[in-house]
Amino acid sequence: MPPTFGLGFGESARPTQALAEAYESDLMDQPDDTSNPSKSQEDSSSPTFTERVRSLASGRGSVTSPRSPSQGLGLSTPNNEDVRARRDGLQSPGTDAEATFQQKIKTQLSKSRSLTERTKSAEALSKDFDLYSVDTLMEVWEVASDLVSADASDEARITGYTLLIPMAWHTGLGSTERSQLFTKIIIPSTPKNVVFQMRALKGLTHTGQDLEPFADQLIQFLIPILESQWLATLNARRIHRNQPEPREKRPLKEEQGLETLVSLIVKTITHDFDAFEDDQLTSLIDHILHIAHRTTASGDIKAAVAIMAAIVEKSHIPRATLKDCVHTLCAIYILYSDRSKDAWASLEKLLHSQDKQLVLDILLGHLRDSHRETVHNSTRGAISTIKFLVKMNGAEGLPTITIPQLMAALYSVHNINTRLQRDCLLTISFVLREEGLANDILYAEWETMMTILQIAAQGSYDAPEIHPSTTLRSMMLLEWTRAETNLVEGSPEIKKEVLEDLREISETFTTLWPDLDTRKKSSVAGFFLEMRSYLSEAPLDYLISEMIDQGFLIPTEEEWQNNQHHFLLHFVLAETMPVTIRSRALRVLKDSLLPLVIENDKLHLKYLVLYALRNLEREQDMQIINDAAELGVTFASVCDLREFHPTLTMLSKLVEHADSVKVRIQSDPIPADIVAIVTQSMVQLFCHCLERSPAKAKATYDALLKIVETRQLSAESRLPALKLLSCLRCDSHLATMVIRMPDTLKLAAVLCRTESTSIPNNENLNRSSLGEHQPQPRAGRSSVVSAGELGASRSSTRSAGGQERSPKPEPPLWGYPDESGLLDESPTGPSRKVFVRNAAGGPSEETLPLGTWLETIIGILQTPESWELYSYILVHLPSQLTNPSLFVSAPAQVRFLRNVVTSQLQSNKFQEAPANVGVKKGDIALCLYTALIALLGYKEHFAKSEQDDMVRAFLAGIGAYDKVAKPCIHALAIACHEIPLSIAKSLNAILQKMSQIITQSQLAMDVLEFLGGLARLPDVYVNLQEDELRTVFAICVRYLENSREQRLKVASGSAPGTSHSSNRHSGNSGEIKPGSESSHDTEAMKDLPQYVFTLAYHVMTFWFLSLKLADRAKHVGWITLNLSWKTAQGIDIMEEQSQVTLDMMHRTAFLDLGETTSSTPITLPDEKLLKKSWLVGLSVVTIETAASTGLSQIIKRQASGTTYATYQQQTAPLPPHHVPAPTEHPAFQHVPESRINVFPNHIFLQLMSTIAPTPAPMEPICLPDDEATIRAISAFDRNDTVDGHKVGVIYIGDGQISEVDILANTSGSETFDTFLSGLGTRVELRGATFNTQGLDRTENSDGTHTYAWRDRVTEIIYHVPTMMPTNRSTDPSCVLKKRHIGNDFVNIIFNESGLPFSFDTFPSQFNYVNIVITPENKIVPSTSSDEESVLSAPFSNLELSGPAGIEASGSIRETPPLPALKDYFTIQTQTHSSFPSISPAASLKLVTAAALPALARQLSLNASVFSLVWSTRSSEGGEGYVSSWRNRLREIVRLRERHANTGTSGSAKYPGARQKRDYVEGDRWTGLVAMGGLSESDGVLSGLDFSRWAGPNPNTGEADWRR
C-alpha cells in the first residue's frame, strides 16, 4: 500500500446507528405514536411497535424483548438453523391450530377494522409467523396485502412491512410465493420506506445469494432506485439542516434506506455477479460515479467505494467506465482519509488486473491532459499511484513506469497549483532518497527535474531579486533563467509545506553530492542559491564549497569584485542564513583578502572590510560579530596606516552602540556581548602589531584603554582589554611583551577564583561562619560606597520577613588559570619595535605610555563600579608591579598609586565584595597589602614621609584582619632592608603591636623571624630604649611559654587537632596559599612549636649580643628569671636551651672582645708543660703551665664557647738577705721535680677557691690525666662554638633548564658575582680551621675558595657550583657538585634563564627550600649573543654591613628618576610538597639590589634553622634538633656523670640527684639539687643570677635591675 497523505475530513458516525435513531425520532412525531411513557409501561414483557420498527431499521435486536432475534423484527436474520432449533423446542401446531390462526388473522386484520387495530394485531401475530406453514402465511397476506398497495398511506405501509418482512425470511417459501412477495415488495413507495423494502428483499434473496426467479427484475429495480434514493436523501439532509438541532442526533430514514440499498447491491454483486449485464454494470457505475462526484457526505462516498470495490473484485469494469472509475478512486484516495484505504485497495486491484497497462495509461494520460481548469483531486491521487508504481518497479506483477515517464508526467502538472506542486516535490524527494531510483535520475531527465525544482523554488517565496547581469547567477545557474510562473497562489500553510519539501530535497542532494559531475553540481548549486535563505547548514556549506572550487571570489575570475560584493551581501550579511554558514562565509571572504594584499588592490579591500564592519552595528549574532571583527583585524594587520585608522575607528565605534545591542550568548570563550568580541579582536590586533608596527600597537593600546575606562560598558566587555593590559611586561631593554599567564594563583585563591576555592552557585554562604574578625560597618565608613548605595543594596536583598538574604551568586567572569583574554597567539618574546621608553626618555611612536594604564588602575581602585574588574585588578596588579621597568616612565603615577592604596588601607575604606561571592573584606585588604608590599621596591619614588606612611599602613594591618597580619609582618621584614629609617621611626610601635599579638600562636614564627632579622640591623634599632628592649625579650619569653605548653600537650597526646575549614589559606593567618598546598601545611603546623621554641632562644641570643656591652648585665636577672619554668610537680627547672642561653650571657655580659685563640706558654728547653683539668660547675677548666716560669694558659670550655686566657704570677726579685728555699738546695738539683716552680693546681686554687667551705655539689672535680679524659676533651673541642649552616647558591644561565647544564656552569654573570660578595666573604678552603660543611680543605677537590658568613652565633657556608671544578669528560652528570647541592636543605637559585624555575630541577630528598632570585626584567631568554649583561652593576658601592640608607631630609625631587634599570629583583621561596611555606617571601616579593643580599641571607638562615628542626623531628620521646651549644653542654654533663663521687675531689662525696644528706656547715643547703646536681632546687633562681655577685660595671657603678 502506498503511504497516505493525511487529507481526511474526520471520522463520520456509524450509518446504521444514525439511521435507526433518526427513524425512531420521526415515528415519535406521528399523532398515533405509542411511545407515550404511560403506554410504554403497560406491557414491559414485549417490545413496543416503535422498538420493533427501530430494530428493523437499525439492524439491532430489542434490548427489552425476551424473545430471540428470529422472533419479530429483530436484527438477526432468521436462518434455517434458527428456525429448526425453534421448531425442535416447541410443539408444532396441528391442522386445527392452523385453521384457528387463519381465522384469527382474517378477523383481526380485516379491512373493516381500523388501521390502529390492524397495526396492533399485526404486531402480535407477526411474532409467531415462523411457526406456521407457508400456505397459512399466504392466506394471512391475502387479507393484509392492501397495506402495501400503491395508494396505501405511510402508516399502513409500515404495518404491512411488519407482516411482510418476517414472511420474506420464512424458509419454506417456494418460487411462486417468493415471486408473489417480490411483486408486493417492489411496489413503488416513498424514500422513507425504502429501508423496509430493502430489508424485505434481503430476506427474500437470502442477502443477495438467491435471486431466482426474479434476478433481472431485481437488478432493474435496484439500479434506478439508487440515484432516486440518493436524491431523496440529499433533499432530506438539506431540510434537516434548516431545522433546530435535536437533543439526540439520529439518522434520517432516507439515509437508512440508501445504506440498506447499497448493502443489498454489494451483496448481490458479490454472490451473483453474472446476473449483471455489461450495460447494467455501466449504468450502475454511472449512477455511483454521479453520486460520488456530487456528494460531500462520507457515507455516500463509502457506498460508492463499496460498490466499485465489489465490481473491481470481480476484475471486470466496463472499458467505457474504467477511466472515470480510476479518476474517481484517485480523488477519493486523496480527499477522504477514512475511505482512502478502500479506494487504494481498488486501485491496487485494478493495477493487478488484466487491464493494468490501460490503467497506467489512464493515470499518465490524466496527468498529461490536466490543466488549471480541469484539474481535480484525482490528479493528486494519480501522482500518488504513479509514485507507488515507481517504488514497486514492476514487482508483484505491477506495471512498470520509467523515470522519463515519471518526470514527463510530473512536469505536466507541477505548475498548475501549489498542492500539485507539493505532490510532485514529494515524489521527486522519494525518488532521490531511493538509492536505485536516484542513480537512474542522475543519468536521465536531470534537467526536467531541476526545472521543476527551480520553478517551485522561485514560486514558493518572494525571493530577493539579484541583478540579472551579476556573475553570481551566470556562474552558478549556468543556462537557467528565472521562469515566468503563473502559479495560483496557495495558502500560506501550503507554501510553507512546499518550502519544507524543497529543504528536504536539498538535504537529499547533499548525500548525492559526491556522485554528481561538475555540471550537475553547478545546477544543484544554482538550486541551493535560489533557496539560500531557507536552507540548512549542509546544503549551504556545499554551495560555498562549490563557489570556492570554481574560483568565484579570487581576483583571477572575471567580475570578481562584483562577486565578492554579492557574496558579502547575500551570505555574510544575510541574517536569514545559519550562523555557521555566515561564519564560514566570513572566513572565506577573509581568506580571499590575501591575494588582494599581494596584488595591492587595497581600495576594494578597504571597501569590503569597512562595509562589513559598518553593518555590524545592526548585527545580533555573536559568532558573526566575532568573525567580522576578526576580518577587521586581519585587514588592519596588513593594511597601511591610512587604512588602519578607519578600521580601528570602525571597531571602536561599536563600543558606543554596546548599550543598545543585546546579543545571544552562543559559545565560549566568546564574551557575552558585542563589545567583548570587538575588544577580543582588538586584543588580537595589539598582539599582532606588537612585533610589526609600533604606531598600530600604540593606537590599539589607546583604544583598549578607552574601553576599560568606559564605565557605561558591561564588565564582560571591558574584561578582555583589562586582561591584556595586566599581562604587559618589559625586559631589560625596555622592550614590551605580553605574557600568557601571570603568576597570580595565590591571590586568585584568596578571592575564590580558582577551581578549588570557588563558591558553588547554589551555596548560601554564611559570612559569620568563616571565622574572620571584621569591623562592623558604620555610617560614612567609605567614600567609595555611599550610604544611599549601601542602603539600596541592602534593601534589594531583604526578604518579605524583614531578614536579609544573600542574592543568588552568578558565575564569575574570570578565574585562574585563565588565558581567555588572549585568544590569538601572543608574542613569545619581547617586541623588537615597541618599548616603554626610548633612548631620549620621552614619548614617541615606539613607546607605550604605561602611565595612562596606571591612571586607569587608580581610577578603578578609587571608584570601583564592577566587582569583576575590581577583583581582577586586585589579583593581577601586584604581579605587574614586580616588573618596575614597565613603569620606568611613570614615576608620578607610581607615587599616586602608593598614596591611594595606603590611604584606603589606613582609612579602611575600600570596596567590599558582594555578599554572595564568598569574599570577605580581609581578603580584599590582603590583596591591597600585597600591592603595597610590591611598591616597597619603588622606594626611590617616595618621600621619607610617604615611606613612613607605608610602614604605618603595614603596622595597622597587623591588627585589622587576622589573615592580613602575617603578610604585614612579612612586609615589615622586607621594609627593614628597604626603608630602614622608617622602620626605626616606628620601631617602638611595631614592638608594642607584636607584644599585643603574642596570643596568636599562628604568628609566632613570623614575629620571631622578624625580630631575629631586626637584631642584625643595628642601624634600625640603635635608638631603642631600655624598656623597649625589654619588650623584645618579653615577646620571646611569652612564645617560649606557649611553646612549652604546646609541646607538653603534644607529648601527652591531648593537643587539639588543628582544623582549617578554609582551603585557601594556611589557617586564618593570612599566608597566601593555594588550595593544593594547604593540606601539608596543616600537618606542618604540628612541628612549629619546636621551631618556635628554637627560634625564640635564637632571638634572645641575637638581641642580647646586639645590646651595648654596658647594658647587657642589666637584663641578665630578668632573662634568667624567665628562662626556668615549673614542672607539673611545681619544681623550677631549666631546659638545655635555657642553660646554654644562660651560659652565653655568662660569657658575654661583661665581654665584647670577640672570640679568643690558643697560645701555648713558652717553655725552656727540656722543660715540661704541666696540664691539669677540672670540672667547675658546667664548664671544663684546663690550665697549661710552664713549670719554671709559671706562665699559664687558662682554657675555659663552656657550652656557648671556649675562652683562652694567659696567666702569669708577677714574681718579685728576692731580697739579698733571702735564703734559698729548701728545694733550691744543690742537693735537690739532681731530682727532676726540683725544676718545677709551680703546678697548675696553684693557679686553679688562686683563681677559684678560698678556705671558706664549699658545698659538696659545688666543689670542682679534678679530672684524671687518662686517655678517656683526653678523648672526651678532644671530642668536646670538635663541637663548633657556633651553629653551622650550609646553603647552596646556584647560578642558572640564559635559557638553561636541565640540572646538568646548570651545575656545569663554571662562572656566573657579573651580577651573580656581586650578589655572592654581598652574601658573605670569599674564603680559602685549603687549611681552613672552620667547619666547611663537607667542602674539601686539603686537596681543593671542591674548589679553592667559597663564600662564608659568620657572626657570634651562626655560621653559613655557601656551596657554590660555579666555584667548584667541572670536568664533563670524567664527570658528565656533575655528580661531585650534586653531592653537595643535593644534600643542602636550602638553595639560593639565582635565575637568569628568563624561564620559570621548577622545584624539581634538582631532585633530592633533602632539598626542602629554594630561594629563587630573578632579575625583574629577565622575563624571557635572551635572543642575541651580544646582549648586554643583565644587572651588571646593581651592587656597586654596596655596603655589606647593612642596608642602604635613605636621605634623612625626606625631600623628593619633582620628577625623581627610577633607580638603575637593573636594580630590581624578585625573590620567592619555593618549598617541597611536604614542607610548609613560612618565609616572608612565600609569595613573590620585589626587592632592590641593595637590600637583596642581606635579605636572601636572612631568609636562607631562617629556612635552614627550620629545615634542621623539620629534618630532626621524630616520634614521641625524640629530642628533635640539638644545636652545637646544647651538644657541648651534654658533653660536660656526661663528664660530670662519669667522675662524680669518685673521691677525686678531696674527701667529699658528690651527692646524686635528689639525694639527701646532712650539711654541717652554716649554709642553708638541703642536699636537694637541680640543674645537673649543681644547685639546690629551692634556690636555683637566685643561684643562677651571676650578676648579683659579679658586681656593677666599673665604669658606672650603678645598681642593676633584676626583676
Side-chain angles (χ1 to χ4, degrees), residues 92-104 132 136:
S92 178
T95 306
D96 294 338
E98 290 273 357
T100 301
F101 184 69
Q102 292 178 3
Q103 185 60 39
K104 185 178 181 180
Y132 297 96
T136 301

Side-chain angles (χ1 to χ4, degrees), residues 21-36 50 155 158 192 240 243-244 246-248 250-253:
E21 293 175 351
Y23 188 65
E24 181 182 12
S25 175
D26 183 70
L27 291 179
M28 292 178 66
D29 293 335
Q30 298 299 326
D32 57 347
D33 190 4
T34 60
S35 61
N36 188 288
T50 303
E155 291 79 4
I158 292 175
K192 290 184 179 182
H240 182 71
Q243 293 178 352
R247 273 186 193 177
E248 185 178 359
R250 297 173 182 177
L252 301 174
K253 294 186 289 293

Side-chain angles (χ1 to χ4, degrees), residues 67-68 70-72 78-102 104-105 124-138 140 163 166-167 169-173:
R67 304 178 64 167
S68 65
S70 61
Q71 296 170 300
N79 52 34
N80 295 333
E81 289 77 8
D82 295 331
V83 175
R84 197 160 37 246
R86 176 167 177 77
R87 289 178 176 173
D88 292 340
L90 297 174
Q91 184 177 3
S92 178
T95 306
D96 294 338
E98 290 273 357
T100 301
F101 184 69
Q102 292 178 3
K104 185 178 181 180
I105 289 176
L125 295 173
S126 63
K127 298 177 183 179
D128 300 321
F129 277 4
D130 56 340
L131 299 178
Y132 297 96
S133 65
V134 173
D135 294 336
T136 301
L137 297 183
M138 294 306 294
V140 171
L163 298 171
M167 293 174 63
W169 284 96
H170 200 286
T171 57
L173 295 176

Side-chain angles (χ1 to χ4, degrees), residues 1335-1376:
L1335 296 178
D1336 177 54
R1337 46 186 168 182
T1338 58
E1339 302 298 332
N1340 290 338
S1341 61
D1342 293 321
T1344 60
H1345 292 78
T1346 190
Y1347 279 87
W1349 179 90
R1350 177 175 176 142
D1351 62 9
R1352 298 181 67 176
V1353 181
T1354 307
E1355 182 179 62
I1356 303 175
I1357 303 299
Y1358 296 107
H1359 292 165
V1360 187
T1362 55
M1363 301 180 73
M1364 300 177 185
T1366 302
N1367 190 334
R1368 297 293 294 272
S1369 60
T1370 60
D1371 185 15
S1373 299
C1374 299
V1375 175
L1376 296 179

Side-chain angles (χ1 to χ4, degrees), residues 661-833:
V661 178
K662 304 298 179 183
V663 186
R664 301 180 302 274
I665 301 177
Q666 292 188 355
S667 61
D668 291 327
I670 300 173
D673 61 33
I674 182 173
V675 186
I677 291 179
V678 179
T679 309
Q680 204 76 284
S681 301
M682 294 172 71
V683 167
Q684 298 179 20
L685 180 60
F686 177 84
C687 293
H688 182 83
C689 296
L690 197 61
E691 193 61 32
R692 294 168 177 80
S693 173
K696 291 182 179 180
K698 185 175 182 179
T700 310
Y701 167 81
D702 293 337
L704 291 171
L705 266 181
K706 182 178 179 182
I707 290 176
V708 176
E709 294 169 353
T710 306
R711 303 203 169 203
Q712 292 78 14
L713 304 179
S714 63
E716 295 92 338
S717 307
R718 300 157 65 189
L719 190 57
L722 195 67
K723 289 180 179 180
L724 172 78
L725 296 173
S726 297
C727 290
L728 290 179
R729 299 291 188 274
C730 78
D731 67 355
S732 57
H733 296 288
L734 302 184
T736 308
M737 64 179 300
V738 178
I739 61 174
R740 295 294 298 172
M741 188 186 303
D743 183 16
T744 58
L745 171 62
K746 295 179 179 180
L747 283 182
V750 170
L751 297 190
C752 304
R753 293 303 175 123
T754 63
E755 183 177 357
S756 61
T757 61
S758 60
I759 303 298
N761 288 349
N762 58 353
E763 180 178 345
N764 293 322
L765 195 64
N766 186 354
R767 304 290 293 166
S768 62
S769 66
L770 295 181
E772 182 191 355
H773 166 68
Q774 281 190 275
Q776 294 297 322
R778 54 184 182 269
R781 60 190 177 92
S782 174
S783 60
V784 176
V785 182
S786 66
E789 293 171 335
L790 183 61
S793 64
R794 289 180 175 177
S795 63
S796 64
T797 60
R798 189 174 298 276
S799 64
Q803 296 180 347
E804 286 193 17
R805 57 181 177 83
S806 297
K808 184 178 179 180
E810 295 182 358
L813 297 181
W814 67 272
Y816 188 94
D818 179 17
E819 299 185 30
S820 60
L822 305 172
L823 293 180
D824 196 10
E825 288 296 328
S826 60
T828 57
S831 172
R832 291 171 292 181
K833 296 187 177 183

Side-chain angles (χ1 to χ4, degrees), residues 1049-1054 1513-1519:
K1049 291 179 180 179
V1050 172
S1052 63
S1054 61
R1513 70 193 191 281
S1514 57
S1515 58
E1516 297 181 6
E1519 294 181 322

Side-chain angles (χ1 to χ4, degrees), residues 287-499:
H287 286 299
I288 288 298
L289 295 179
H290 179 71
I291 293 173
H293 292 167
R294 295 181 60 188
T295 187
T296 58
S298 178
D300 299 346
I301 297 298
K302 176 183 178 181
V305 171
I307 294 175
M308 284 191 288
I311 298 173
V312 170
E313 185 65 27
K314 297 301 180 180
S315 301
H316 180 74
I317 290 183
R319 294 290 180 90
T321 59
L322 181 60
K323 179 177 178 180
D324 290 338
C325 280
V326 171
H327 292 178
T328 303
L329 288 172
C330 289
I332 293 173
Y333 173 74
I334 293 297
L335 282 176
Y336 299 95
S337 58
D338 55 340
R339 301 275 70 85
S340 60
K341 183 177 181 180
D342 298 331
W344 179 257
S346 298
L347 284 171
E348 190 173 8
K349 188 68 176 178
L350 287 174
L351 291 171
H352 282 87
S353 67
Q354 60 183 1
D355 297 327
K356 58 185 178 181
Q357 192 60 44
L358 180 59
V359 173
L360 176 59
D361 293 340
I362 292 172
L363 292 172
L364 293 175
H366 185 43
L367 297 182
R368 185 173 53 253
D369 298 337
S370 296
H371 50 84
R372 196 178 310 278
E373 288 74 20
T374 62
V375 70
H376 300 286
N377 284 295
S378 59
T379 308
R380 300 183 59 211
I383 295 176
S384 297
T385 307
I386 291 174
K387 176 182 173 183
F388 169 72
L389 293 175
V390 171
K391 178 181 179 180
M392 297 303 294
N393 196 23
E396 300 179 4
L398 291 170
T400 302
I401 183 172
T402 63
I403 293 298
Q405 287 178 312
L406 173 65
M407 287 300 135
L410 296 181
Y411 186 80
S412 300
V413 298
H414 79 281
N415 203 21
I416 295 178
N417 61 40
T418 50
R419 288 194 179 275
L420 280 175
Q421 188 179 70
R422 183 165 189 265
D423 291 336
C424 293
L425 294 178
L426 289 172
T427 304
I428 292 175
S429 177
F430 164 76
V431 171
L432 291 176
R433 288 197 308 271
E434 292 291 325
E435 182 175 356
L437 300 178
N439 292 332
D440 293 341
I441 207 170
L442 292 178
Y443 301 101
E445 298 302 323
W446 176 269
E447 289 76 10
T448 303
M449 179 190 68
M450 294 309 297
T451 301
I452 296 173
L453 295 179
Q454 175 199 13
I455 294 175
Q458 293 174 359
S460 60
Y461 63 94
D462 297 329
E465 287 292 336
I466 302 178
H467 196 275
S469 64
T470 176
T471 54
L472 182 66
R473 296 193 57 78
S474 60
M475 187 73 184
M476 303 310 302
L477 305 185
L478 300 176
E479 73 281 355
W480 285 16
T481 58
R482 190 167 182 85
E484 293 295 333
T485 61
N486 294 309
L487 282 175
V488 175
E489 290 296 332
S491 66
E493 291 76 13
I494 295 298
K495 280 195 170 186
K496 184 177 180 180
E497 292 172 354
V498 169
L499 280 175

Side-chain angles (χ1 to χ4, degrees), residues 1450-1469:
S1451 61
I1452 187 168
R1453 294 178 294 273
E1454 293 184 359
T1455 55
L1458 278 169
L1461 295 180
K1462 302 171 183 179
D1463 213 13
Y1464 293 94
F1465 296 83
T1466 59
I1467 185 169
Q1468 185 175 21
T1469 56

